[in-house]
Coordinates of all heavy atoms in Angstrom, one line a residue:
S7 N 43.8 14.2 31.7 CA 42.4 14.7 31.6 C 41.5 14.0 32.6 O 41.9 13.0 33.2 CB 41.9 14.4 30.2 OG 41.9 13.0 29.9
G8 N 40.3 14.5 32.8 CA 39.3 13.8 33.6 C 39.1 14.4 35.0 O 38.2 13.9 35.7
G9 N 39.8 15.5 35.3 CA 39.6 16.1 36.6 C 38.3 16.9 36.6 O 37.6 17.0 35.6
G10 N 38.0 17.4 37.8 CA 36.7 18.2 37.9 C 36.3 18.3 39.3 O 37.1 18.0 40.2
L11 N 35.1 18.8 39.5 CA 34.5 19.0 40.8 C 33.5 17.8 41.1 O 32.6 17.5 40.2 CB 33.7 20.3 40.8 CG 32.9 20.7 42.1 CD1 33.8 20.8 43.3 CD2 32.1 21.9 41.8
V12 N 33.6 17.2 42.2 CA 32.8 16.1 42.6 C 32.4 16.2 44.1 O 33.2 16.8 44.9 CB 33.4 14.8 42.2 CG1 34.7 14.6 43.0 CG2 32.5 13.6 42.4
Q13 N 31.3 15.7 44.5 CA 30.9 15.7 45.9 C 31.6 14.5 46.6 O 32.0 13.5 46.0 CB 29.4 15.6 46.0 CG 28.6 16.8 45.7 CD 27.2 16.7 46.0 OE1 26.6 15.6 46.0 NE2 26.5 17.8 46.3
G15 N 32.4 11.3 48.4 CA 31.7 10.0 48.1 C 31.6 9.6 46.6 O 31.3 8.5 46.3
G16 N 31.9 10.6 45.8 CA 31.7 10.4 44.4 C 33.0 9.8 43.7 O 33.9 9.4 44.5
S17 N 33.0 9.7 42.4 CA 34.1 9.0 41.7 C 34.5 9.9 40.5 O 33.7 10.7 39.9 CB 33.6 7.7 41.1 OG 33.3 6.8 42.2
L18 N 35.7 9.7 40.1 CA 36.3 10.3 38.9 C 37.3 9.3 38.3 O 37.9 8.6 39.1 CB 37.0 11.7 39.2 CG 36.2 12.9 39.4 CD1 37.1 14.1 39.9 CD2 35.4 13.3 38.2
R19 N 37.5 9.4 37.0 CA 38.5 8.6 36.4 C 39.4 9.6 35.6 O 39.0 10.3 34.7 CB 38.0 7.6 35.4 CG 39.1 6.6 34.9 CD 38.6 5.5 34.1 NE 38.4 5.8 32.7 CZ 38.5 5.0 31.7 NH1 38.8 3.7 31.9 NH2 38.3 5.4 30.5
L20 N 40.7 9.6 36.0 CA 41.7 10.4 35.3 C 42.4 9.5 34.2 O 42.6 8.3 34.4 CB 42.8 10.9 36.3 CG 42.3 11.7 37.5 CD1 43.5 12.2 38.3 CD2 41.4 12.8 37.1
S21 N 42.7 10.2 33.2 CA 43.4 9.5 32.1 C 44.7 10.3 31.8 O 44.8 11.5 32.0 CB 42.6 9.5 30.8 OG 41.4 8.8 31.0
R67 N 40.6 2.6 47.6 CA 39.7 3.6 47.0 C 40.1 3.9 45.5 O 39.2 4.1 44.7 CB 39.6 4.9 47.8 CG 39.2 4.7 49.2 CD 39.0 6.1 49.9 NE 40.2 6.8 50.0 CZ 40.4 8.1 49.5 NH1 39.4 8.6 48.8 NH2 41.5 8.7 49.6
F68 N 41.4 3.9 45.3 CA 41.9 4.3 44.0 C 42.5 3.0 43.3 O 43.0 2.1 43.9 CB 43.0 5.3 44.1 CG 42.6 6.7 44.5 CD1 41.3 6.9 45.0 CD2 43.5 7.8 44.4 CE1 40.9 8.2 45.4 CE2 43.1 9.0 44.8 CZ 41.8 9.3 45.3
T69 N 42.4 3.0 41.9 CA 42.9 1.9 41.2 C 43.7 2.5 40.0 O 43.1 3.3 39.2 CB 41.8 1.0 40.7 OG1 41.1 0.4 41.8 CG2 42.5 -0.2 39.9
Y80 N 45.5 5.1 33.6 CA 44.3 5.6 34.2 C 44.4 5.6 35.7 O 45.2 4.9 36.3 CB 43.1 4.7 33.8 CG 42.9 4.5 32.3 CD1 43.4 3.4 31.7 CD2 42.2 5.5 31.6 CE1 43.2 3.3 30.3 CE2 42.0 5.3 30.3 CZ 42.5 4.2 29.6 OH 42.3 4.1 28.3
L81 N 43.6 6.4 36.3 CA 43.5 6.4 37.8 C 42.0 6.5 38.1 O 41.4 7.6 37.9 CB 44.2 7.6 38.5 CG 44.2 7.5 40.0 CD1 45.0 6.3 40.5 CD2 44.8 8.8 40.6
Q82 N 41.4 5.4 38.5 CA 40.0 5.4 38.9 C 40.0 5.7 40.4 O 40.6 5.1 41.2 CB 39.4 4.0 38.7 CG 38.0 3.8 39.2 CD 37.0 4.7 38.4 OE1 37.1 4.7 37.1 NE2 36.1 5.4 39.1
M83 N 39.2 6.8 40.7 CA 39.1 7.3 42.1 C 37.7 7.2 42.6 O 36.8 7.8 42.1 CB 39.6 8.7 42.2 CG 41.0 9.0 41.6 SD 41.6 10.6 41.8 CE 40.4 11.5 40.8
N84 N 37.5 6.3 43.6 CA 36.2 6.1 44.2 C 36.2 6.6 45.6 O 37.2 6.8 46.3 CB 35.8 4.6 44.2 CG 35.7 4.1 42.7 OD1 35.4 4.8 41.8 ND2 36.1 2.8 42.6
S85 N 35.0 6.8 46.2 CA 34.8 7.2 47.6 C 35.7 8.4 47.9 O 36.4 8.5 48.9 CB 35.2 6.1 48.5 OG 34.4 4.9 48.3
L86 N 35.6 9.4 47.0 CA 36.5 10.6 47.1 C 36.2 11.4 48.4 O 35.0 11.5 48.8 CB 36.3 11.5 45.9 CG 37.1 11.0 44.7 CD1 36.6 11.6 43.4 CD2 38.6 11.2 44.9
D90 N 41.2 14.7 49.3 CA 41.8 14.3 48.0 C 41.9 15.4 47.0 O 42.5 15.3 45.9 CB 40.9 13.2 47.3 CG 40.9 11.9 48.1 OD1 42.0 11.5 48.6 OD2 39.8 11.3 48.2
A92 N 43.3 18.3 45.0 CA 44.7 18.5 44.6 C 44.8 18.6 43.1 O 43.8 18.3 42.4 CB 45.6 17.5 45.1
Y94 N 46.4 16.7 40.2 CA 46.9 15.4 40.0 C 47.8 15.4 38.7 O 47.4 15.8 37.7 CB 45.8 14.4 39.8 CG 45.2 14.0 41.1 CD1 44.4 15.0 41.8 CD2 45.3 12.8 41.7 CE1 43.8 14.7 43.1 CE2 44.8 12.5 42.9 CZ 44.0 13.4 43.6 OH 43.5 13.1 44.8
T118 N 46.0 17.9 36.3 CA 44.5 18.2 36.2 C 44.0 18.4 37.6 O 44.3 17.6 38.5 CB 43.8 17.0 35.4 OG1 42.5 17.3 35.2 CG2 44.0 15.7 36.2
Q119 N 43.1 19.4 37.7 CA 42.6 19.7 39.0 C 41.4 18.8 39.4 O 40.5 18.5 38.7 CB 42.0 21.2 39.0 CG 41.4 21.6 40.3 CD 42.4 21.8 41.5 OE1 43.4 22.4 41.3 NE2 42.1 21.2 42.6
V120 N 41.5 18.3 40.7 CA 40.4 17.5 41.2 C 40.0 18.2 42.5 O 40.8 18.5 43.4 CB 40.9 16.1 41.6 CG1 39.8 15.3 42.4 CG2 41.2 15.3 40.3
T121 N 38.7 18.5 42.6 CA 38.2 19.2 43.7 C 37.0 18.4 44.3 O 36.1 18.1 43.5 CB 37.7 20.6 43.4 OG1 38.8 21.4 42.8 CG2 37.2 21.4 44.6
V122 N 37.1 18.1 45.6 CA 36.1 17.3 46.2 C 35.4 18.1 47.3 O 36.0 18.6 48.2 CB 36.6 16.0 46.9 CG1 35.5 15.1 47.4 CG2 37.4 15.2 45.8

Side-chain angles (χ1 to χ4, degrees):
S7 62
L11 173 63
V12 63
Q13 288 188 331
S17 298
L18 283 174
R19 187 175 84 152
L20 305 183
S21 299
R67 299 188 297 123
F68 291 11
T69 303
Y80 304 97
L81 185 68
Q82 178 66 44
M83 306 186 294
N84 298 330
S85 302
L86 282 162
D90 294 319
Y94 282 71
T118 185
Q119 176 70 46
V120 172
T121 303
V122 184

